[in-house]
Amino acid sequence: MTSDEIAACLINLGDKERADHSLRFFKTAEGEYGEGDRFLGIRVPVLREKVRQFREADLSAAEELLRSPWHEVRLFAVFLLVDKFRRKKPDLKAEIMKVFTANLDRINNWDLVDSSAPCLTGPWFWENDRSLLGTWVKSDSLWLRRIAVMSTFYFIKQNHYEETLAFCEELLDDREDLIHKATGWMLREIGNRDKKTETDFLEKFHTRMPRTMLRYGIEKFPAEERKSWLAGEIPPSAGTSA
């Protein structure tokens, strides 16, 4: 099936009321991070179901869909690339990554990032040279910085925290709340597996951390610990956390 046929199928699934809600939810007004994006109004589970229907579409079709002006068509393309990446042989994974990295300008909202980085760029860079992530985390692009951070979610699942912690430190002074949320989220995921590693980071940087980053990072801590960190104090138990 061609990209035009797939896009037409997706466009027919649109819902104007949901699309109007998405315009607000994904901050598409002038000056907001999703400025100018266009929505059809298709629920994510519907898009995932359509991936199963069209999963044999070739990579060129996926790339064409990734260039669509419609947000949900691009999200479908991301789901399709991830599905192919999970199922394909290692030599074809490089071709999938080539398509993805050639179209990074189309990964331009947090759901597109979070649907691809942990399960496509993350596993790719786990197995390959990671230096590009270090370039992305310093980028002027909000979305490249978030891709870099969210890619390390895969590393965290392998109980490897080095890049995540380095990126969290690198981005302490970032101006974007979406970066604060991502770094705080990744710190929380580290803490879920190794609380001492997270609290060691907090001890060094909690007074510099953006409030959102700190709140996300300590979300699963006991209430009294959260209270101490938010007050700029190190809880007595922090140094002995398992």
Side-chain angles (χ1 to χ4, degrees):
M1 182 165 282
T2 69
S3 61
D4 286 344
E5 290 171 326
I6 296 172
C9 176
L10 295 176
I11 289 169
N12 285 336
L13 298 172
D15 178 273
K16 187 180 184 305
E17 183 176 350
R18 183 174 294 276
D20 289 343
H21 170 76
S22 295
L23 289 172
R24 298 186 296 273
F25 184 74
F26 287 99
K27 307 296 184 183
T28 63
E30 183 177 356
E32 295 183 316
Y33 59 73
E35 180 179 351
D37 207 352
R38 299 168 64 187
F39 286 81
L40 294 165
I42 309 173
R43 296 172 60 246
V44 168
V46 175
L47 292 175
R48 292 192 182 278
E49 179 63 31
K50 288 300 176 183
V51 169
R52 286 190 283 271
Q53 180 179 345
F54 299 127
R55 67 181 0 164
E56 299 308 321
D58 61 28
L59 271 180
S60 63
E63 183 165 23
E64 289 170 10
L65 293 167
L66 201 54
R67 303 300 303 179
S68 172
W70 295 108
H71 184 98
E72 292 94 337
V73 176
R74 299 198 305 281
L75 184 57
F76 171 85
V78 165
F79 290 157
L80 187 60
L81 288 174
V82 168
D83 180 72
K84 287 181 178 298
F85 188 87
R86 286 171 170 164
R87 296 187 299 118
K88 296 299 182 181
K89 296 178 181 178
D91 58 329
L92 294 177
K93 289 184 176 183
E95 294 301 312
I96 294 167
M97 271 296 294
K98 187 181 296 184
V99 167
F100 185 81
T101 55
N103 293 279
L104 287 170
D105 62 314
R106 309 309 294 161
I107 311 301
N108 56 358
N109 215 309
W110 59 263
D111 60 329
L112 296 163
V113 172
D114 297 358
S115 297
S116 56
C119 44
L120 198 163
T121 51
W124 173 261
F125 287 116
W126 176 253
E127 298 288 346
N128 295 279
D129 177 32
R130 302 172 191 173
S131 59
L132 191 56
L133 289 178
T135 300
W136 289 350
V137 82
K138 298 176 185 294
S139 170
D140 290 337
S141 165
L142 159 63
W143 306 119
L144 281 182
R145 298 198 304 278
R146 187 163 172 121
I147 290 171
V149 173
M150 293 303 302
S151 293
T152 70
F153 197 173
Y154 186 84
F155 301 179
I156 293 169
K157 291 177 180 178
Q158 318 311 312
N159 297 314
H160 178 90
Y161 313 129
E162 180 180 347
E163 285 81 7
T164 308
L165 295 171
F167 292 172
C168 286
E169 182 176 354
E170 175 75 29
L171 295 167
L172 282 170
D173 299 319
D174 200 279
R175 296 182 179 182
E176 297 287 350
D177 194 58
L178 283 173
I179 296 298
H180 305 165
K181 290 177 179 179
T183 51
W185 177 8
M186 293 303 98
L187 286 173
R188 184 178 71 225
E189 291 297 332
I190 290 174
N192 287 344
R193 295 160 175 82
D194 184 342
K195 188 174 180 182
K196 186 176 186 307
T197 293
E198 182 185 0
T199 55
D200 285 348
F201 184 92
L202 293 174
E203 286 185 31
K204 290 177 65 176
F205 298 116
H206 69 282
T207 57
R208 279 187 57 195
M209 291 169 66
R211 202 68 167 176
T212 298
M213 180 182 181
L214 180 59
R215 285 187 178 278
Y216 270 58
I218 63 176
E219 186 176 28
K220 297 295 181 68
F221 285 12
E224 286 303 310
E225 285 188 40
R226 294 199 307 273
K227 184 177 179 181
S228 293
W229 288 117
L230 290 169
E233 302 167 355
I234 298 175
S237 61
T240 59
S241 298

